[in-house]
Amino acid sequence: MVAACSYAARKFGIHSGMPSKKAFQLCPHLIVANSSRADYSKYSRWVTQIIASKAPLFEKASIDEFYVDLTGMEKFFNPLQWTIDLRKQIIDETKLPISFGLASNKMMAKIATNEGKAQWLPAGSLWKRKRIFSTPACKQDPGRG
């Protein structure tokens, strides 16, 4: 089972939770790296500490997924620039690749992040709702589109 994958692997259609056999079918030259739950947890705690030190309000949705609530913060700073700066800090300190999507709610942020990964867009690329709702993934997901 694919536990996590690089952005390079995503270009071949590989994603977390995919059976290894399917991943190797999509990308025969796939490189598998050994890791441990302890290592993954260590990096998760590290990223959590960085976000907690900067974000006014955040939710840790999983070991590697966070939602930061910047509601009303545009009065004090530019949310896009703040997010770009936070991303840069996480990358600089942890050397982990980080992606993000900015939106008015969690669902839209998740879609924007996933679409950005799939399209290899610069982190934080702003998406118009029409563009997001016209994506194949959105059209196929019940309750959306």
Side-chain angles (χ1 to χ4, degrees), residues 32-91:
V32 177
N34 289 327
S35 65
S36 70
R37 177 79 175 172
D39 287 339
Y40 211 69
S41 293
K42 177 184 88 170
Y43 279 96
S44 178
R45 284 190 304 275
W46 192 359
V47 172
T48 303
Q49 288 172 349
I50 295 168
I51 292 172
S53 74
K54 301 286 183 187
L57 179 64
F58 76 96
E59 173 187 340
K60 186 171 183 176
S62 70
I63 196 165
D64 65 353
E65 186 172 325
F66 299 84
Y67 292 99
V68 177
D69 186 350
L70 299 176
T71 303
M73 292 295 115
E74 66 279 355
K75 297 172 191 166
F76 306 103
F77 53 80
N78 177 328
L80 175 60
Q81 188 58 55
W82 183 90
T83 307
I84 290 168
D85 294 344
L86 177 62
R87 177 182 180 269
K88 183 180 182 324
Q89 181 181 352
I90 293 169
I91 292 170

Side-chain angles (χ1 to χ4, degrees), residues 88 104 135:
K88 183 180 182 324
S104 58
T135 62

